[in-house]
Amino acid sequence: LTMAPSLRKTLVLLSVCFASALEPRSDHATKCRNSVQGKKYLADDKGFVCTLENLDWTSGCCKAGFSEEPPFSCKTCDTATNCCDTYEYCVTCCLSPTNAVELHSVMTAASSMKTFQQS
């Protein structure tokens, strides 16, 4: 499987940003990591996008039934350019099980990259 350079760059950037922005979780069944950075929306690691008002602040997950789209939605993403208008939909799209091989490859590559250079 080959990946267009622009998609690889997008996924590397996403993996670095998402991995560093996620809140830690202690229990996979009842806690979520989420993107925590949006002013209006956030994405949880179960693939849902919700507004801040619909976040369960105890679990870090979007409240059940309050996501406008199904999990792992690519709602604002353009498959021709591999770009999304909304960061949170980019996160959920990349977390989709259909993108697991690519995401794993990118996360593995990103883990060896330096995000900051010391002077």
Side-chain angles (χ1 to χ4, degrees):
L1 178 65
T2 58
M3 199 180 318
S6 63
L7 176 58
R8 182 165 289 280
K9 286 179 187 176
T10 300
L11 289 175
V12 168
L13 177 62
L14 174 65
S15 67
V16 171
C17 292
F18 193 65
S20 63
L22 292 177
E23 293 281 324
R25 65 177 183 199
S26 60
D27 180 356
H28 182 71
T30 59
K31 300 280 184 183
C32 292
R33 295 178 295 170
N34 61 61
S35 58
V36 302
Q37 73 174 27
K39 287 183 178 181
K40 185 175 181 182
Y41 297 105
L42 62 79
D44 70 22
D45 64 356
K46 292 182 181 179
F48 291 100
V49 173
C50 62
T51 62
L52 294 176
E53 295 83 21
N54 292 315
L55 173 68
D56 179 331
W57 291 94
T58 303
S59 69
C61 302
C62 291
K63 292 178 184 175
F66 284 95
S67 182
E68 295 177 12
E69 299 294 324
F72 309 112
S73 175
C74 300
K75 178 181 178 177
T76 68
C77 304
D78 181 344
T79 57
T81 62
N82 297 312
C83 294
C84 301
D85 291 336
T86 307
Y87 173 77
E88 290 78 12
Y89 282 105
C90 186
V91 170
T92 62
C93 189
C94 288
L95 287 174
S96 172
T98 61
N99 294 324
V101 173
E102 291 88 357
L103 185 60
H104 177 73
S105 172
V106 170
M107 293 296 282
T108 300
S111 69
S112 65
M113 298 177 130
K114 292 183 180 179
T115 55
F116 297 101
Q117 189 174 30
Q118 294 182 358
S119 50

